[in-house]
């Protein structure tokens, strides 16, 4: 069995489990942009769980990288300004769409949200188009 496939499956299961536990145990949706937004613009009594969730994301990555060699191989050769622009566009899209891929894709689709289905279809179509442009139409590859 291909190790990359197994790792992707394990990661997906862990993301789904974390989202499910956060909803069942805390009544919260695991949309990372919304969780981060609640830290940036905090409401009284609503920050501790957000910080714990975000710390868990960073800690898990920090533990996984040394334990699983090659799991986080960075891509190189992209212009820094392009990366900054891409990050800003992702942040703008997350704000515009009232959620991110984790919120809509993992949690929203799991709750059968029509709004999340529309968001997922939109960002997947955009991802396909962007990948095609980058790989086949003279973009950065």
């Amino acid at each position: 069995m291909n190790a990359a496939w197994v790792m992707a499956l394990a990661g997906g299961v862990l993301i789904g489990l974390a989202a499910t536990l956060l909803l069942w145990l805390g009544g919260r949706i695991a949309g990372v942009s919304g969780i981060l937004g609640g830290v940036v613009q905090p409401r009284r009594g609503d920050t501790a769980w957000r910080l714990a969730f975000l710390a868990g994301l960073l800690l898990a990555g920090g533990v996984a990288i040394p334990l699983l060699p090659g799991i986080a191989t960075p891509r190189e050769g992209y212009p820094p300004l392009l990366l900054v622009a891409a990050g800003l566009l992702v942040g703008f899209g997350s704000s515009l769409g009232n959620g991110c891929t984790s919120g809509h894709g993992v949690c929203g689709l799991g709750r059968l949200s029509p709004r999340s289905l529309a968001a997922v279809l939109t960002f997947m179509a955009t991802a396909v188009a962007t990948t095609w442009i980058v790989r086949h139409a003279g973009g950065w590859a």
Side-chain angles (χ1 to χ4, degrees), residues 5-117:
W5 185 86
V6 172
M7 295 300 286
L9 178 62
V13 168
L14 288 173
I15 290 169
L17 180 61
T20 300
L21 289 174
L22 187 62
L23 183 60
W24 283 354
L25 300 176
R28 309 287 186 178
I29 302 297
V32 178
S33 64
I35 293 171
L36 179 60
V39 170
V40 174
Q41 296 179 337
R43 287 182 280 164
R44 188 174 196 155
D46 191 48
T47 306
W49 75 269
R50 293 171 187 275
L51 288 172
F53 188 93
L54 295 170
L57 290 176
L58 295 173
L59 182 64
V63 168
I65 289 171
L67 292 178
L68 303 165
I71 194 168
T73 306
R75 298 272 313 260
E76 296 179 349
Y78 291 99
L81 286 177
L82 179 67
L83 296 175
V84 169
L88 290 172
L89 285 170
V90 168
F92 175 72
S94 178
S95 175
L96 183 67
N98 290 320
C100 58
T101 54
S102 60
H104 286 301
V106 175
C107 302
L109 290 181
R111 293 185 348 260
L112 303 176
S113 165
R115 184 179 82 169
S116 290
L117 177 60

